[in-house]
Amino acid sequence: MRGGSAVTEGRVPVFGETAVGETAAGGTVRRVVYPGSFDPVTNGHLDIIVRAARLHDEVFVVVGANLAKEGLFSVDERLAMLREVTRGQPNVRVDKFRGLLVEFCKANHISAIVKGLRAVSDFEYEMEMAQMNYRLEEIETLFMTANPLYSFLRSSLVKEIARYGGDVSSLVPEPVFKQLQERLAAP
């Protein structure tokens, strides 16, 4: 689309008028992004990644590199863990971004953001973000409900339990569990 969007021109958008990539044969590639801090990546995150990868041609899993708070793992460590645990998903790309997620989407021809919802309490915040992202760049947000096995799972909870010696081996992929053990080992 050139010179404006269907929404700003006051007409109903036609399917395919979103930012999507093209294949060599001229077809479209359905690209989505799954953003997060992933500090660390949990089995809940991995479940959303795998499910999104079944539904889309490419899934970009991106770590926000300009996070205000200090993480347990550096951005590069998180990227390495994500690459390791998604190695079996050929259509998953792992990257980082700075600034606005919608700018990353525009630069990579990504038409939608995937967000996992664990509970109703997640919805209000995510809905505000979805509406702002659409307002800024007409990037859609797709909500996926968490697998009930992981509906309580948050990275911050995993870190807290692990810091006190609790067993989080069933909550994170095995390579991540090993990294947690090494990072939180008593001096």
Side-chain angles (χ1 to χ4, degrees), residues 100-135:
L100 295 176
L101 180 61
V102 293
E103 293 300 323
F104 179 89
C105 291
K106 252 176 55 177
N108 290 282
H109 306 288
I110 294 171
S111 60
I113 300 166
V114 170
K115 298 298 289 197
L117 297 177
R118 295 171 296 210
V120 173
S121 57
D122 289 344
F123 182 74
E124 188 173 343
Y125 172 78
E126 294 298 349
M127 179 62 125
E128 289 176 1
M129 293 299 295
Q131 290 172 335
M132 182 57 73
N133 289 330
Y134 190 81
R135 173 88 167 114

Side-chain angles (χ1 to χ4, degrees), residues 120-171:
V120 173
S121 57
D122 289 344
F123 182 74
E124 188 173 343
Y125 172 78
E126 294 298 349
M127 179 62 125
E128 289 176 1
M129 293 299 295
Q131 290 172 335
M132 182 57 73
N133 289 330
Y134 190 81
R135 173 88 167 114
L136 290 171
E137 292 293 338
E138 294 186 12
I139 302 294
E140 297 288 351
T141 299
L142 308 174
F143 296 118
M144 296 183 78
T145 57
N147 179 322
L149 294 172
Y150 309 121
S151 63
F152 65 93
L153 195 51
R154 297 185 328 267
S155 293
S156 58
L157 185 58
V158 167
K159 288 185 287 193
E160 185 176 349
I161 293 168
R163 278 189 179 107
Y164 289 104
D167 182 9
V168 295
S169 61
S170 65
L171 307 177

Side-chain angles (χ1 to χ4, degrees), residues 46-118:
L46 192 55
D47 180 64
I48 295 291
I49 293 166
V50 169
R51 290 166 53 205
R54 282 195 307 247
L55 298 171
H56 300 91
D57 297 323
E58 291 182 340
V59 176
F60 286 72
V61 179
V62 297
V63 175
N66 58 347
L67 302 175
K69 59 184 178 179
E70 189 70 26
L72 178 62
F73 295 101
S74 72
V75 170
D76 288 337
E77 289 171 320
R78 291 181 240 169
L79 292 169
M81 284 187 274
L82 280 163
R83 286 185 181 110
E84 185 170 0
V85 301
T86 61
R87 188 178 26 209
Q89 301 294 320
N91 61 333
V92 171
R93 313 281 175 259
V94 175
D95 205 346
K96 63 183 173 184
F97 74 97
R98 289 191 182 283
L100 295 176
L101 180 61
V102 293
E103 293 300 323
F104 179 89
C105 291
K106 252 176 55 177
N108 290 282
H109 306 288
I110 294 171
S111 60
I113 300 166
V114 170
K115 298 298 289 197
L117 297 177
R118 295 171 296 210

